[in-house]
Amino acid sequence: MGRGPRSPSLLVRLGISWLTNALVLALVAGVLHGVHVANAGDLLAAAAVFGVLNTLLKPLLRLVTLPLAILTLGIAWFFVSLLMLVITKAIVGGFDIHGFWTLVAATLIVWAANVALDFTPGPWQLTGRRRRLRRRRRHELT
């Protein structure tokens, strides 16, 4: 008896996350005139840095800023996301965002793209909480 389709390996999930980040950052660079990426290598480096920051640092910062997020009805977490782009820009030399309002717009585009991906079925949904929810639903159906 089979247990249904298996989840992709960790390396596959990391690869999908990396490429998804690269596509979202390429979208940001394509839409906003104040965002510049020197070349494909810098785009991939920015995607890797951005992914690592979102995986390791962002959850910690969200926990630390939880009281402020409650007071501001979540607006504080927007600035945590904005900070992830600022740090990525500081680390990756060929990835530049010029101006505060361009940074705000870039953060909004990244947020909107992630919301769209959350509602679009695909392999990018097989990580973390989404994977557990999918397993639970499969278990309830059997």
Side-chain angles (χ1 to χ4, degrees), residues 25-58:
L25 292 178
L27 172 71
V28 168
V31 170
L32 299 175
H33 296 294
V35 179
H36 302 284
V37 181
N39 56 48
D42 288 330
L43 177 66
L44 293 174
V49 169
F50 188 68
V52 169
L53 289 172
N54 279 327
T55 301
L56 301 177
L57 184 59
K58 188 175 181 179

PDB file of all heavy atoms in Angstrom, residues 25-58:
ATOM      1  N   LEU A  25      12.716  38.716  -7.053  1.00  0.00           N
ATOM      2  CA  LEU A  25      13.657  39.847  -7.084  1.00  0.00           C
ATOM      3  C   LEU A  25      13.865  40.351  -8.513  1.00  0.00           C
ATOM      4  O   LEU A  25      14.025  41.557  -8.731  1.00  0.00           O
ATOM      5  CB  LEU A  25      14.983  39.460  -6.433  1.00  0.00           C
ATOM      6  CG  LEU A  25      14.915  39.216  -4.921  1.00  0.00           C
ATOM      7  CD1 LEU A  25      16.271  38.782  -4.389  1.00  0.00           C
ATOM      8  CD2 LEU A  25      14.403  40.435  -4.173  1.00  0.00           C
ATOM      9  N   ALA A  26      13.831  39.450  -9.498  1.00  0.00           N
ATOM     10  CA  ALA A  26      13.922  39.873 -10.899  1.00  0.00           C
ATOM     11  C   ALA A  26      12.685  40.686 -11.279  1.00  0.00           C
ATOM     12  O   ALA A  26      12.795  41.694 -11.995  1.00  0.00           O
ATOM     13  CB  ALA A  26      14.066  38.660 -11.816  1.00  0.00           C
ATOM     14  N   LEU A  27      11.524  40.280 -10.787  1.00  0.00           N
ATOM     15  CA  LEU A  27      10.300  41.037 -11.020  1.00  0.00           C
ATOM     16  C   LEU A  27      10.412  42.442 -10.431  1.00  0.00           C
ATOM     17  O   LEU A  27      10.077  43.430 -11.083  1.00  0.00           O
ATOM     18  CB  LEU A  27       9.103  40.301 -10.405  1.00  0.00           C
ATOM     19  CG  LEU A  27       7.774  41.050 -10.384  1.00  0.00           C
ATOM     20  CD1 LEU A  27       7.213  41.160 -11.796  1.00  0.00           C
ATOM     21  CD2 LEU A  27       6.790  40.350  -9.468  1.00  0.00           C
ATOM     22  N   VAL A  28      10.915  42.519  -9.206  1.00  0.00           N
ATOM     23  CA  VAL A  28      11.101  43.817  -8.552  1.00  0.00           C
ATOM     24  C   VAL A  28      12.041  44.691  -9.380  1.00  0.00           C
ATOM     25  O   VAL A  28      11.756  45.866  -9.622  1.00  0.00           O
ATOM     26  CB  VAL A  28      11.637  43.624  -7.109  1.00  0.00           C
ATOM     27  CG1 VAL A  28      12.119  44.936  -6.514  1.00  0.00           C
ATOM     28  CG2 VAL A  28      10.567  43.008  -6.216  1.00  0.00           C
ATOM     29  N   ALA A  29      13.151  44.117  -9.825  1.00  0.00           N
ATOM     30  CA  ALA A  29      14.115  44.887 -10.627  1.00  0.00           C
ATOM     31  C   ALA A  29      13.528  45.292 -11.972  1.00  0.00           C
ATOM     32  O   ALA A  29      13.834  46.367 -12.488  1.00  0.00           O
ATOM     33  CB  ALA A  29      15.391  44.068 -10.829  1.00  0.00           C
ATOM     34  N   GLY A  30      12.674  44.458 -12.531  1.00  0.00           N
ATOM     35  CA  GLY A  30      12.065  44.779 -13.817  1.00  0.00           C
ATOM     36  C   GLY A  30      10.986  45.848 -13.723  1.00  0.00           C
ATOM     37  O   GLY A  30      10.789  46.630 -14.651  1.00  0.00           O
ATOM     38  N   VAL A  31      10.289  45.899 -12.596  1.00  0.00           N
ATOM     39  CA  VAL A  31       9.178  46.831 -12.434  1.00  0.00           C
ATOM     40  C   VAL A  31       9.627  48.190 -11.904  1.00  0.00           C
ATOM     41  O   VAL A  31       9.096  49.223 -12.315  1.00  0.00           O
ATOM     42  CB  VAL A  31       8.103  46.206 -11.499  1.00  0.00           C
ATOM     43  CG1 VAL A  31       7.046  47.204 -11.111  1.00  0.00           C
ATOM     44  CG2 VAL A  31       7.474  44.990 -12.150  1.00  0.00           C
ATOM     45  N   LEU A  32      10.592  48.194 -11.010  1.00  0.00           N
ATOM     46  CA  LEU A  32      11.010  49.438 -10.359  1.00  0.00           C
ATOM     47  C   LEU A  32      12.313  49.960 -10.963  1.00  0.00           C
ATOM     48  O   LEU A  32      13.316  49.248 -11.001  1.00  0.00           O
ATOM     49  CB  LEU A  32      11.189  49.225  -8.859  1.00  0.00           C
ATOM     50  CG  LEU A  32       9.937  48.777  -8.095  1.00  0.00           C
ATOM     51  CD1 LEU A  32      10.275  48.484  -6.641  1.00  0.00           C
ATOM     52  CD2 LEU A  32       8.847  49.830  -8.186  1.00  0.00           C
ATOM     53  N   HIS A  33      12.298  51.203 -11.392  1.00  0.00           N
ATOM     54  CA  HIS A  33      13.488  51.804 -12.006  1.00  0.00           C
ATOM     55  C   HIS A  33      14.612  52.009 -11.006  1.00  0.00           C
ATOM     56  O   HIS A  33      15.772  52.080 -11.396  1.00  0.00           O
ATOM     57  CB  HIS A  33      13.129  53.139 -12.662  1.00  0.00           C
ATOM     58  CG  HIS A  33      12.169  52.996 -13.793  1.00  0.00           C
ATOM     59  ND1 HIS A  33      12.494  52.346 -14.961  1.00  0.00           N
ATOM     60  CD2 HIS A  33      10.883  53.402 -13.928  1.00  0.00           C
ATOM     61  CE1 HIS A  33      11.461  52.360 -15.772  1.00  0.00           C
ATOM     62  NE2 HIS A  33      10.458  52.992 -15.170  1.00  0.00           N
ATOM     63  N   GLY A  34      14.301  52.099  -9.727  1.00  0.00           N
ATOM     64  CA  GLY A  34      15.319  52.328  -8.717  1.00  0.00           C
ATOM     65  C   GLY A  34      15.977  51.066  -8.190  1.00  0.00           C
ATOM     66  O   GLY A  34      16.806  51.129  -7.286  1.00  0.00           O
ATOM     67  N   VAL A  35      15.618  49.916  -8.741  1.00  0.00           N
ATOM     68  CA  VAL A  35      16.227  48.645  -8.327  1.00  0.00           C
ATOM     69  C   VAL A  35      17.082  48.148  -9.480  1.00  0.00           C
ATOM     70  O   VAL A  35      16.607  48.001 -10.607  1.00  0.00           O
ATOM     71  CB  VAL A  35      15.154  47.592  -7.958  1.00  0.00           C
ATOM     72  CG1 VAL A  35      15.805  46.276  -7.560  1.00  0.00           C
ATOM     73  CG2 VAL A  35      14.258  48.107  -6.840  1.00  0.00           C
ATOM     74  N   HIS A  36      18.359  47.911  -9.190  1.00  0.00           N
ATOM     75  CA  HIS A  36      19.295  47.493 -10.227  1.00  0.00           C
ATOM     76  C   HIS A  36      20.022  46.222  -9.797  1.00  0.00           C
ATOM     77  O   HIS A  36      20.473  46.111  -8.655  1.00  0.00           O
ATOM     78  CB  HIS A  36      20.328  48.591 -10.503  1.00  0.00           C
ATOM     79  CG  HIS A  36      19.699  49.883 -10.907  1.00  0.00           C
ATOM     80  ND1 HIS A  36      19.180  50.093 -12.164  1.00  0.00           N
ATOM     81  CD2 HIS A  36      19.477  51.021 -10.217  1.00  0.00           C
ATOM     82  CE1 HIS A  36      18.672  51.305 -12.224  1.00  0.00           C
ATOM     83  NE2 HIS A  36      18.844  51.894 -11.050  1.00  0.00           N
ATOM     84  N   VAL A  37      20.118  45.291 -10.729  1.00  0.00           N
ATOM     85  CA  VAL A  37      20.888  44.065 -10.524  1.00  0.00           C
ATOM     86  C   VAL A  37      21.930  44.027 -11.626  1.00  0.00           C
ATOM     87  O   VAL A  37      21.595  44.115 -12.812  1.00  0.00           O
ATOM     88  CB  VAL A  37      19.984  42.811 -10.579  1.00  0.00           C
ATOM     89  CG1 VAL A  37      20.799  41.557 -10.341  1.00  0.00           C
ATOM     90  CG2 VAL A  37      18.847  42.910  -9.572  1.00  0.00           C
ATOM     91  N   ALA A  38      23.199  43.920 -11.233  1.00  0.00           N
ATOM     92  CA  ALA A  38      24.298  44.000 -12.200  1.00  0.00           C
ATOM     93  C   ALA A  38      24.275  42.859 -13.213  1.00  0.00           C
ATOM     94  O   ALA A  38      24.485  43.073 -14.407  1.00  0.00           O
ATOM     95  CB  ALA A  38      25.640  44.041 -11.473  1.00  0.00           C
ATOM     96  N   ASN A  39      24.019  41.642 -12.749  1.00  0.00           N
ATOM     97  CA  ASN A  39      24.028  40.489 -13.647  1.00  0.00           C
ATOM     98  C   ASN A  39      23.281  39.322 -13.001  1.00  0.00           C
ATOM     99  O   ASN A  39      22.832  39.424 -11.854  1.00  0.00           O
ATOM    100  CB  ASN A  39      25.466  40.093 -14.016  1.00  0.00           C
ATOM    101  CG  ASN A  39      26.319  39.825 -12.785  1.00  0.00           C
ATOM    102  OD1 ASN A  39      25.918  39.109 -11.879  1.00  0.00           O
ATOM    103  ND2 ASN A  39      27.505  40.432 -12.751  1.00  0.00           N
ATOM    104  N   ALA A  40      23.155  38.230 -13.736  1.00  0.00           N
ATOM    105  CA  ALA A  40      22.414  37.064 -13.245  1.00  0.00           C
ATOM    106  C   ALA A  40      23.058  36.472 -11.993  1.00  0.00           C
ATOM    107  O   ALA A  40      22.358  36.011 -11.086  1.00  0.00           O
ATOM    108  CB  ALA A  40      22.306  36.004 -14.341  1.00  0.00           C
ATOM    109  N   GLY A  41      24.366  36.504 -11.918  1.00  0.00           N
ATOM    110  CA  GLY A  41      25.059  35.988 -10.734  1.00  0.00           C
ATOM    111  C   GLY A  41      24.704  36.770  -9.483  1.00  0.00           C
ATOM    112  O   GLY A  41      24.483  36.198  -8.410  1.00  0.00           O
ATOM    113  N   ASP A  42      24.635  38.094  -9.635  1.00  0.00           N
ATOM    114  CA  ASP A  42      24.254  38.929  -8.492  1.00  0.00           C
ATOM    115  C   ASP A  42      22.792  38.709  -8.113  1.00  0.00           C
ATOM    116  O   ASP A  42      22.431  38.758  -6.937  1.00  0.00           O
ATOM    117  CB  ASP A  42      24.520  40.400  -8.787  1.00  0.00           C
ATOM    118  CG  ASP A  42      26.003  40.733  -8.805  1.00  0.00           C
ATOM    119  OD1 ASP A  42      26.767  40.064  -8.078  1.00  0.00           O
ATOM    120  OD2 ASP A  42      26.391  41.653  -9.540  1.00  0.00           O
ATOM    121  N   LEU A  43      21.941  38.458  -9.102  1.00  0.00           N
ATOM    122  CA  LEU A  43      20.537  38.157  -8.818  1.00  0.00           C
ATOM    123  C   LEU A  43      20.424  36.855  -8.024  1.00  0.00           C
ATOM    124  O   LEU A  43      19.703  36.787  -7.025  1.00  0.00           O
ATOM    125  CB  LEU A  43      19.728  38.060 -10.115  1.00  0.00           C
ATOM    126  CG  LEU A  43      18.265  37.675  -9.953  1.00  0.00           C
ATOM    127  CD1 LEU A  43      17.496  38.770  -9.209  1.00  0.00           C
ATOM    128  CD2 LEU A  43      17.624  37.415 -11.301  1.00  0.00           C
ATOM    129  N   LEU A  44      21.160  35.839  -8.445  1.00  0.00           N
ATOM    130  CA  LEU A  44      21.130  34.564  -7.725  1.00  0.00           C
ATOM    131  C   LEU A  44      21.727  34.694  -6.325  1.00  0.00           C
ATOM    132  O   LEU A  44      21.228  34.094  -5.368  1.00  0.00           O
ATOM    133  CB  LEU A  44      21.850  33.483  -8.530  1.00  0.00           C
ATOM    134  CG  LEU A  44      21.165  33.081  -9.842  1.00  0.00           C
ATOM    135  CD1 LEU A  44      22.036  32.106 -10.621  1.00  0.00           C
ATOM    136  CD2 LEU A  44      19.787  32.494  -9.578  1.00  0.00           C
ATOM    137  N   ALA A  45      22.777  35.502  -6.194  1.00  0.00           N
ATOM    138  CA  ALA A  45      23.369  35.740  -4.871  1.00  0.00           C
ATOM    139  C   ALA A  45      22.384  36.478  -3.974  1.00  0.00           C
ATOM    140  O   ALA A  45      22.212  36.124  -2.796  1.00  0.00           O
ATOM    141  CB  ALA A  45      24.666  36.544  -5.005  1.00  0.00           C
ATOM    142  N   ALA A  46      21.711  37.490  -4.521  1.00  0.00           N
ATOM    143  CA  ALA A  46      20.719  38.228  -3.734  1.00  0.00           C
ATOM    144  C   ALA A  46      19.581  37.306  -3.318  1.00  0.00           C
ATOM    145  O   ALA A  46      19.096  37.381  -2.180  1.00  0.00           O
ATOM    146  CB  ALA A  46      20.186  39.415  -4.540  1.00  0.00           C
ATOM    147  N   ALA A  47      19.157  36.428  -4.209  1.00  0.00           N
ATOM    148  CA  ALA A  47      18.082  35.482  -3.881  1.00  0.00           C
ATOM    149  C   ALA A  47      18.510  34.542  -2.758  1.00  0.00           C
ATOM    150  O   ALA A  47      17.721  34.242  -1.857  1.00  0.00           O
ATOM    151  CB  ALA A  47      17.689  34.687  -5.124  1.00  0.00           C
ATOM    152  N   ALA A  48      19.759  34.091  -2.806  1.00  0.00           N
ATOM    153  CA  ALA A  48      20.261  33.190  -1.756  1.00  0.00           C
ATOM    154  C   ALA A  48      20.343  33.913  -0.415  1.00  0.00           C
ATOM    155  O   ALA A  48      19.884  33.398   0.611  1.00  0.00           O
ATOM    156  CB  ALA A  48      21.625  32.635  -2.155  1.00  0.00           C
ATOM    157  N   VAL A  49      20.906  35.111  -0.419  1.00  0.00           N
ATOM    158  CA  VAL A  49      21.023  35.890   0.823  1.00  0.00           C
ATOM    159  C   VAL A  49      19.638  36.208   1.374  1.00  0.00           C
ATOM    160  O   VAL A  49      19.370  36.040   2.569  1.00  0.00           O
ATOM    161  CB  VAL A  49      21.838  37.189   0.584  1.00  0.00           C
ATOM    162  CG1 VAL A  49      21.734  38.135   1.766  1.00  0.00           C
ATOM    163  CG2 VAL A  49      23.291  36.842   0.297  1.00  0.00           C
ATOM    164  N   PHE A  50      18.743  36.660   0.506  1.00  0.00           N
ATOM    165  CA  PHE A  50      17.386  37.007   0.909  1.00  0.00           C
ATOM    166  C   PHE A  50      16.672  35.789   1.511  1.00  0.00           C
ATOM    167  O   PHE A  50      16.001  35.891   2.537  1.00  0.00           O
ATOM    168  CB  PHE A  50      16.622  37.555  -0.296  1.00  0.00           C
ATOM    169  CG  PHE A  50      15.278  38.125   0.026  1.00  0.00           C
ATOM    170  CD1 PHE A  50      15.162  39.285   0.760  1.00  0.00           C
ATOM    171  CD2 PHE A  50      14.125  37.509  -0.426  1.00  0.00           C
ATOM    172  CE1 PHE A  50      13.915  39.829   1.051  1.00  0.00           C
ATOM    173  CE2 PHE A  50      12.875  38.038  -0.149  1.00  0.00           C
ATOM    174  CZ  PHE A  50      12.778  39.206   0.595  1.00  0.00           C
ATOM    175  N   GLY A  51      16.848  34.637   0.893  1.00  0.00           N
ATOM    176  CA  GLY A  51      16.236  33.407   1.403  1.00  0.00           C
ATOM    177  C   GLY A  51      16.775  33.012   2.763  1.00  0.00           C
ATOM    178  O   GLY A  51      16.009  32.632   3.663  1.00  0.00           O
ATOM    179  N   VAL A  52      18.081  33.098   2.935  1.00  0.00           N
ATOM    180  CA  VAL A  52      18.695  32.756   4.228  1.00  0.00           C
ATOM    181  C   VAL A  52      18.222  33.730   5.307  1.00  0.00           C
ATOM    182  O   VAL A  52      17.871  33.323   6.421  1.00  0.00           O
ATOM    183  CB  VAL A  52      20.241  32.738   4.119  1.00  0.00           C
ATOM    184  CG1 VAL A  52      20.888  32.659   5.485  1.00  0.00           C
ATOM    185  CG2 VAL A  52      20.689  31.570   3.247  1.00  0.00           C
ATOM    186  N   LEU A  53      18.197  35.011   4.986  1.00  0.00           N
ATOM    187  CA  LEU A  53      17.733  36.007   5.957  1.00  0.00           C
ATOM    188  C   LEU A  53      16.281  35.756   6.346  1.00  0.00           C
ATOM    189  O   LEU A  53      15.922  35.827   7.527  1.00  0.00           O
ATOM    190  CB  LEU A  53      17.876  37.420   5.385  1.00  0.00           C
ATOM    191  CG  LEU A  53      19.282  37.957   5.241  1.00  0.00           C
ATOM    192  CD1 LEU A  53      19.273  39.277   4.474  1.00  0.00           C
ATOM    193  CD2 LEU A  53      19.945  38.123   6.596  1.00  0.00           C
ATOM    194  N   ASN A  54      15.439  35.457   5.358  1.00  0.00           N
ATOM    195  CA  ASN A  54      14.029  35.194   5.649  1.00  0.00           C
ATOM    196  C   ASN A  54      13.824  33.919   6.439  1.00  0.00           C
ATOM    197  O   ASN A  54      12.861  33.802   7.191  1.00  0.00           O
ATOM    198  CB  ASN A  54      13.212  35.157   4.359  1.00  0.00           C
ATOM    199  CG  ASN A  54      12.863  36.531   3.863  1.00  0.00           C
ATOM    200  OD1 ASN A  54      12.657  37.446   4.643  1.00  0.00           O
ATOM    201  ND2 ASN A  54      12.797  36.687   2.558  1.00  0.00           N
ATOM    202  N   THR A  55      14.730  32.977   6.289  1.00  0.00           N
ATOM    203  CA  THR A  55      14.607  31.712   7.013  1.00  0.00           C
ATOM    204  C   THR A  55      15.159  31.812   8.430  1.00  0.00           C
ATOM    205  O   THR A  55      14.557  31.286   9.367  1.00  0.00           O
ATOM    206  CB  THR A  55      15.358  30.593   6.249  1.00  0.00           C
ATOM    207  OG1 THR A  55      14.789  30.488   4.936  1.00  0.00           O
ATOM    208  CG2 THR A  55      15.250  29.268   6.966  1.00  0.00           C
ATOM    209  N   LEU A  56      16.282  32.493   8.597  1.00  0.00           N
ATOM    210  CA  LEU A  56      16.957  32.511   9.895  1.00  0.00           C
ATOM    211  C   LEU A  56      16.684  33.760  10.730  1.00  0.00           C
ATOM    212  O   LEU A  56      16.379  33.672  11.910  1.00  0.00           O
ATOM    213  CB  LEU A  56      18.466  32.354   9.695  1.00  0.00           C
ATOM    214  CG  LEU A  56      18.928  31.088   8.998  1.00  0.00           C
ATOM    215  CD1 LEU A  56      20.432  31.102   8.805  1.00  0.00           C
ATOM    216  CD2 LEU A  56      18.493  29.854   9.777  1.00  0.00           C
ATOM    217  N   LEU A  57      16.812  34.926  10.131  1.00  0.00           N
ATOM    218  CA  LEU A  57      16.735  36.170  10.888  1.00  0.00           C
ATOM    219  C   LEU A  57      15.305  36.701  11.044  1.00  0.00           C
ATOM    220  O   LEU A  57      14.926  37.172  12.115  1.00  0.00           O
ATOM    221  CB  LEU A  57      17.619  37.230  10.224  1.00  0.00           C
ATOM    222  CG  LEU A  57      17.748  38.569  10.934  1.00  0.00           C
ATOM    223  CD1 LEU A  57      18.316  38.388  12.338  1.00  0.00           C
ATOM    224  CD2 LEU A  57      18.624  39.513  10.121  1.00  0.00           C
ATOM    225  N   LYS A  58      14.523  36.616   9.982  1.00  0.00           N
ATOM    226  CA  LYS A  58      13.181  37.200  10.011  1.00  0.00           C
ATOM    227  C   LYS A  58      12.300  36.615  11.115  1.00  0.00           C
ATOM    228  O   LYS A  58      11.639  37.372  11.827  1.00  0.00           O
ATOM    229  CB  LYS A  58      12.510  37.059   8.647  1.00  0.00           C
ATOM    230  CG  LYS A  58      11.208  37.809   8.532  1.00  0.00           C
ATOM    231  CD  LYS A  58      10.672  37.719   7.116  1.00  0.00           C
ATOM    232  CE  LYS A  58       9.394  38.477   6.938  1.00  0.00           C
ATOM    233  NZ  LYS A  58       8.913  38.389   5.550  1.00  0.00           N
TER     234      LYS A  58
END
